[in-house]
Amino acid sequence: MTEFAFTCTGVRADPYAAGPTLVFRLRITAAGGARVHAIALRCQIRIEPARRGYGPAEAEGLADLFGERSRWGNTLQPVQFAQVSVMVPSFTGETETDLVVPCTYDMDIAATRYFEALAEGEVPLLMLFSGTAFTGDAGFRVEPVPWDREAAYRMPVAVWREMVEQHFPGCGWLRLPRDTMDELLAFRSRHALASWEATVRALLDAAAPPQPPPGDGAGNGSGNGSAAGSGAGPVRLGAILPRLTERAAP
């Protein structure tokens, strides 16, 4: 059987992809300069969190994944990142190819929460390979890519942040159940709010505790009764929304 070796030589964010996408560069070597007609390659990528250190802020951000730092000796287990396939074209001896990995900014996904918690440094990744190779100088033979083929790579956190910024500049991402989204959309439509940011801000402002008027001290008992009482009543939604002259599209 042909001996294959795999090495990851780099990674970049794809600025032209429809969604967040990382492109890993793979070097594939066939021992002895063997002729390879094609490889149907599968790659599982997982995060190895125990292979790097974490600052206090990062540890706090990872608490929902791994618990308190005192428990990390048992909880800092590998996290599944992606599983992708690629068809490697014909080569002799050695070649390089791109491994395209679609990503998500869904914060309910463990890998995304892990990436988001990191402030700097590198992400320790382990790539596990399998698949089917078509080899041979005269004709071809079919052989498996051994299951023990793997490659370690440390991806810069900056590459992940660059990818996210390309598709969600200055923004976060939130997933909600369909019925909750329907209620939010109805609320936004009723109040003619121009954006989802304005919708969430209106709800947050309405839920905030009332603030006393400027200059209204706690010991001032001789002030106007209606003015003093106005700071104690509930916040009315109509008082905090901007006045719009026409309805914006939801």
Side-chain angles (χ1 to χ4, degrees):
M1 292 179 58
T2 305
E3 285 292 326
F4 290 102
F6 299 88
T7 305
C8 182
T9 61
V11 63
R12 70 181 190 276
D14 187 348
Y16 305 109
T21 302
L22 293 173
V23 181
F24 292 87
R25 190 68 176 172
L26 291 182
R27 179 182 296 131
I28 305 172
T29 303
R35 170 70 171 169
V36 179
H37 300 287
I39 304 177
L41 187 65
R42 295 185 297 274
C43 179
Q44 178 187 146
I45 307 176
R46 71 187 189 191
I47 303 166
E48 301 278 299
R51 290 171 47 208
R52 63 156 285 169
Y54 303 92
E58 292 174 329
E60 183 177 350
L62 293 170
D64 62 335
L65 285 179
F66 306 120
E68 298 296 326
R69 191 190 282 267
S70 60
R71 300 175 51 213
W72 282 10
N74 296 322
T75 62
L76 217 60
Q77 300 299 319
V79 176
Q80 178 76 7
F81 174 32
Q83 187 160 339
V84 293
S85 300
V86 62
M87 182 60 72
V88 181
S90 174
F91 68 94
T92 299
E94 184 176 281
T95 189
E96 291 194 0
T97 189
D98 285 339
L99 185 67
V100 179
V101 180
C103 302
T104 177
Y105 197 34
D106 185 347
M107 296 301 292
D108 286 340
I109 304 299
T112 304
R113 295 209 306 276
Y114 177 85
F115 291 134
E116 189 63 21
L118 302 184
E120 58 185 11
E122 299 172 329
V123 180
L125 300 176
L126 184 64
M127 299 179 169
L128 307 172
F129 298 98
S130 61
T132 303
F134 304 89
T135 64
D137 292 326
F140 69 92
R141 62 179 181 270
V142 180
E143 54 185 279
V145 175
W147 281 84
D148 62 352
R149 303 295 92 173
E150 60 184 43
Y153 181 69
R154 303 186 73 87
M155 181 183 75
V157 174
V159 175
W160 170 268
R161 297 200 176 278
E162 175 189 352
M163 177 197 70
V164 172
E165 190 65 18
Q166 287 172 354
H167 294 274
F168 306 100
C171 299
W173 194 95
L174 182 65
R175 184 175 66 178
L176 295 172
R178 185 178 299 277
D179 55 347
T180 304
M181 281 298 302
D182 290 343
E183 291 183 45
L184 282 174
L185 183 59
F187 177 88
R188 175 178 171 178
S189 182
R190 283 197 309 272
H191 297 282
L193 296 168
S195 65
W196 285 115
E197 180 183 1
T199 303
V200 175
R201 176 50 55 192
L203 291 169
L204 289 175
D205 289 345
Q211 299 296 323
D216 185 15
N220 184 6
S222 59
N224 186 297
S226 61
S230 63
V235 178
R236 293 182 297 106
L237 185 60
I240 61 175
L241 298 182
R243 296 178 62 86
L244 300 177
T245 57
E246 60 181 4
R247 175 178 172 178

